[in-house]
Amino acid sequence: MPMTLEQWYRQMPVVTRSYLTLSFLTTAGCALELISPFSVYYNSHLIFRKFQLWRLVTNFFFFGSIGMDFVFHMFFLSRYCRLLEEGTFRGRSADFFYMLLFGSVLLSCVAPFINIQFLGMSLTFMMVYVWGRRNQFVNMSFLGLFSFTAPYLPWVLLIFSVMLGSSPVVDLLGMAAGHAYYFFEDVYPTMTDRRVLKTPAVVKMLFGQVDPAAGTTAAWGGGDFVPELQAGVFQGGGGPAVARAL
């Protein structure tokens, strides 16, 4: 029996479901003129001089006018956000939220210097980049034209976006944030035996996440997670499992 839309929505992990919901409601609200994009966009002057602090958060939830571009970004947001939270961050939703918080802070610090008002697309690209790095041996196909491995997915999408006439700045910014997280979380600890991005205890408490090292079960499907070799792979038609980029 096919899964209903409600079942699909309810099966999403907490961070993915919350981000997708807030993004849809904010973008739809702007499209219906219930709220104005001018009240949610990132503006450092209004934030730090007028103390409109909500803009630090709301700019990540607006994805432009409702159309194919919006559907495209919602697909990648729901897919790769969920793959990360159910895969690499299985049982560690607090750590996943902290990753998004790290990326959001980094993007917000850079945004005033490159004049970007909405950072949701960059944050989505950050998730795609981190997922690709965490699934290096997953094979993918772009529109059935050529195959590549997951770490190249952000670059393929970047080239495709430029071919459609979009600016590469937003995507490159997200990739830079993703690489910063990947370096500090996956590379730097192996070099120095020190972990810089350790999730604060208060964040873990908010999500009900308990450190598995303490001998207890973490929230959201706890237990020690061992990544699968084919994590996040679709079954491609006629042959081995192949993930589809589009």
Side-chain angles (χ1 to χ4, degrees), residues 89 92 94-96 98-99 134 181 183-200 204 209 211:
F89 292 93
R92 299 188 296 122
D95 294 339
F96 181 59
Y98 193 62
M99 183 201 81
R134 292 282 178 88
Y181 177 83
F183 175 80
F184 285 117
E185 181 68 10
D186 294 358
V187 179
Y188 185 77
T190 63
M191 297 168 55
T192 64
D193 201 27
R194 292 195 302 269
R195 188 181 177 192
V196 178
L197 300 177
K198 188 175 181 179
T199 306
K204 291 185 177 183
Q209 177 180 315
D211 189 355

Side-chain angles (χ1 to χ4, degrees), residues 21-35:
T21 301
L22 289 170
S23 298
F24 178 81
L25 291 178
T26 301
T27 305
C30 291
L32 297 173
E33 298 184 354
L34 299 176
I35 55 177

Side-chain angles (χ1 to χ4, degrees), residues 201-240:
V202 64
V203 177
K204 291 185 177 183
M205 182 181 66
L206 289 173
F207 283 87
Q209 177 180 315
V210 181
D211 189 355
T216 54
T217 302
W220 304 103
D224 294 329
F225 173 69
V226 180
E228 300 177 4
L229 294 178
Q230 295 291 341
V233 182
F234 287 147
Q235 284 293 335

Side-chain angles (χ1 to χ4, degrees), residues 50-190:
K50 302 294 184 180
F51 301 106
Q52 298 181 7
L53 301 181
W54 67 83
R55 296 178 183 272
L56 286 169
V57 178
T58 55
N59 78 91
F60 287 97
F61 302 140
F62 181 72
F63 284 81
S65 58
I66 294 183
M68 287 305 301
D69 191 56
F70 171 73
V71 173
F72 176 82
H73 282 95
M74 286 298 99
F75 167 77
F76 276 93
L77 172 60
S78 61
R79 172 161 170 73
Y80 291 100
C81 191
R82 182 172 184 172
L83 283 175
L84 278 173
E85 193 172 359
E86 291 183 337
T88 302
F89 292 93
R90 181 184 177 91
R92 299 188 296 122
S93 288
D95 294 339
F96 181 59
F97 174 80
Y98 193 62
M99 183 201 81
L100 296 182
L101 182 62
F102 169 81
S104 300
V105 171
L106 197 61
L107 293 171
S108 297
C109 291
V110 177
F113 300 100
I114 54 179
N115 195 30
I116 293 181
Q117 288 76 39
F118 300 102
L119 296 167
M121 296 179 184
S122 296
L123 190 63
T124 301
F125 236 79
M126 174 190 174
M127 288 185 277
V128 173
Y129 184 92
V130 172
W131 179 85
R133 283 290 192 171
R134 292 282 178 88
N135 296 272
Q136 297 186 20
F137 302 107
V138 172
N139 294 317
M140 309 195 77
S141 174
F142 183 78
L143 298 176
L145 299 177
F146 59 91
S147 299
F148 55 92
T149 54
Y152 293 101
L153 176 60
W155 297 101
V156 172
L157 296 177
L158 173 65
I159 294 172
F160 181 69
S161 180
V162 171
M163 290 174 59
L164 294 178
S166 301
S167 171
V169 176
V170 172
D171 297 344
L172 287 172
L173 186 60
M175 292 168 64
H179 187 75
Y181 177 83
Y182 167 74
F183 175 80
F184 285 117
E185 181 68 10
D186 294 358
V187 179
Y188 185 77
T190 63

